[in-house]
Amino acid sequence: RAKERGKNNFQFYTADMNASAIERMKLEYGLHRALAKNELEVWYQPKVALDSTRIVGAEALLRWRHPEMGMISPGQFIPIAEESSLITSIGEWVLDTTCADIRSWRDAGLLDGRIAANISGLQLKYSNIVETVSRILKKYDLDSSVLELEITENVAMDEDSGMVEVLHRLQTLGIYLSIDDFGTGYSSLSYLKRLPVRGLKIDQSFIKNLHQDRDDAAITQAIISIARSLGLDLVAEGVELEEQRQFLVEKGCLCGQGFLFSRAVPREEFAELLKKQGVLQLVELGEPA
Ligand code: C2E
Ligand code: MG
Ligand code: MG
Ligand code: MG
């Protein structure tokens, strides 16, 4: 009813809404200004070799420092950005900021490896992502091998959307592509084989109870063997416990990220981590012993 009355009846409309709808509207309103007001930040979570816990990479994770609401998780505001056209500009900002950081860490002799950023499905579909990525790499004089893009499973599996074509163009550019939250979607393995991806990230929902739930342990083992058969790299997400780390190493998953090692940290803190361990190199973890 409120909507039919048109834009001038804003007041009436808000009176009708529940608290969560109001919260959501506040977020959407704030998000429009977040970029201009420098409220967004990119933080980095280390990816580590699970046997030595040495840092072998990192994932760029978006943070929003809201002036009243404090730190807001991307899980809360990315969906809102996706419903408006904001995801394109925010996504581009994340790529630009990540590449600027990669440039400065390379200049400081701290980084010789690859950093991953998350890409939204809509950003892949509706923005000219290939052109954007090449322009940003050029801007910071970076080779495409320094950047990894994580795409969630359901987005990558969307056969009708021309997604495969876009992924192929990114791969041709030299970008390392990986599938995020693997195991939660509905991958067909034959389709997975045709995608130009280099790695899979096991979703954290399987890792969470791995050490005490037989099904989760079995699923994780199955994903490890799929990755091995298809020659894909593997990262376990959400490793929080030593038992989980041990299980993964034993079963041959050699790379992981999670609170056991580090949360996502601001760029300065990530640089400190790199300084402590020496230059981050592009490590090929290879086959387990
Ligand atoms: P994701 O890409 O699967 O990222 C992993 C999430 O798990 C991150 O949450 C990370 O902080 C969290 N995490 C890492 N280790 C652990 C752990 O040991 N335990 C637990 N409980 N959680 C852990 P975050 O940063 O809140 O991001 C949530 C999601 O938001 C991401 O899931 C990703 O899908 C999306 N996202 C984040 N940054 C961006 C971005 O720049 N662009 C887009 N399109 N999406 C983003
Ligand atoms: Mg991710
Ligand atoms: Mg994930
Ligand atoms: Mg996730």
Side-chain angles (χ1 to χ4, degrees):
R1 291 164 287 122
K3 265 184 183 162
E4 285 160 15
R5 296 185 180 210
K7 281 178 184 162
N8 297 330
N9 281 298
F10 187 75
Q11 201 94 32
F12 178 77
Y13 189 43
T14 55
D16 249 14
M17 292 190 302
N18 58 29
S20 83
I22 291 173
E23 176 98 329
R24 197 199 146 83
M25 224 184 65
K26 260 176 143 177
L27 287 181
E28 186 178 343
Y29 178 79
L31 204 48
H32 273 99
R33 282 155 187 76
L35 262 182
K37 288 181 158 180
N38 284 318
E39 291 169 6
L40 298 183
E41 296 173 19
V42 175
W43 287 25
Y44 296 88
Q45 183 180 38
K47 296 183 182 181
V48 307
L50 286 172
D51 51 359
S52 64
T53 76
R54 212 183 135 81
I55 300 175
V56 295
E59 174 175 9
L61 291 162
L62 188 54
R63 295 291 178 261
W64 181 9
R65 201 185 287 277
H66 192 280
E68 293 135 44
M69 300 164 84
M71 276 298 194
I72 304 177
S73 141
Q76 271 178 277
F77 67 83
I78 290 285
I80 296 175
E82 285 181 330
E83 281 176 26
S84 60
S85 57
L86 278 174
I87 191 64
T88 305
S89 43
I90 291 177
E92 188 168 333
W93 180 85
V94 167
L95 287 173
D96 189 279
T97 306
T98 303
C99 286
D101 288 340
I102 294 176
R103 179 74 265 163
S104 80
W105 294 330
R106 288 183 72 87
D107 290 345
L110 292 172
L111 180 70
D112 201 18
R114 182 173 67 229
I115 305 282
N118 294 283
I119 292 282
S120 145
L122 296 176
Q123 207 182 341
L124 280 174
K125 270 193 209 177
Y126 301 118
S127 75
N128 192 349
I129 187 72
V130 183
E131 191 275 330
T132 302
V133 168
S134 15
R135 177 168 40 78
I136 292 172
L137 288 170
K138 202 178 238 173
K139 174 176 172 191
Y140 294 104
D141 191 23
L142 290 170
D143 189 86
S144 55
S145 63
V146 303
L147 190 63
E148 169 175 344
L149 298 180
E150 298 186 1
I151 298 137
T152 56
E153 182 178 16
N154 287 337
V155 167
M157 294 298 150
D158 185 353
E159 294 200 48
D160 309 319
S161 63
M163 197 58 75
V164 191
E165 157 79 19
V166 177
L167 296 183
H168 273 287
R169 289 174 59 210
L170 286 168
Q171 185 222 26
T172 304
L173 192 64
I175 303 291
Y176 183 111
L177 299 174
S178 55
I179 297 190
D180 207 348
D181 303 349
F182 187 77
T184 57
Y186 26 78
S187 297
S188 101
L189 293 185
S190 62
Y191 188 67
L192 180 62
K193 197 180 98 183
R194 299 200 326 259
L195 286 179
V197 298
R198 306 266 305 271
L200 302 180
K201 298 188 74 183
I202 310 177
D203 190 68
Q204 56 188 60
S205 60
F206 304 114
I207 307 300
K208 196 173 160 66
N209 296 310
L210 179 66
H211 54 297
Q212 54 193 24
D213 181 312
R214 280 219 233 136
D215 294 339
D216 288 341
I219 291 168
T220 302
Q221 263 182 275
I223 295 176
I224 293 172
S225 57
I226 288 168
R228 198 174 297 159
S229 324
L230 296 178
L232 297 170
D233 298 334
L234 201 55
V235 176
E237 298 190 275
V239 183
E240 293 186 356
L241 302 169
E242 175 56 24
E243 294 108 286
Q244 297 162 345
R245 187 193 69 81
Q246 267 169 21
F247 178 99
L248 290 162
V249 171
E250 257 166 45
K251 303 302 178 191
C253 175
L254 302 176
C255 184
Q257 58 188 111
F259 297 168
L260 179 63
F261 315 108
S262 172
R263 290 177 181 255
V265 295
R267 64 161 68 78
E268 298 78 14
E269 229 173 288
F270 183 68
E272 287 305 315
L273 292 176
L274 292 180
K275 273 179 206 156
K276 263 187 230 154
Q277 83 151 25
V279 55
L280 191 166
Q281 301 209 305
L282 201 61
V283 185
E284 295 305 332
L285 291 168
E287 287 284 305

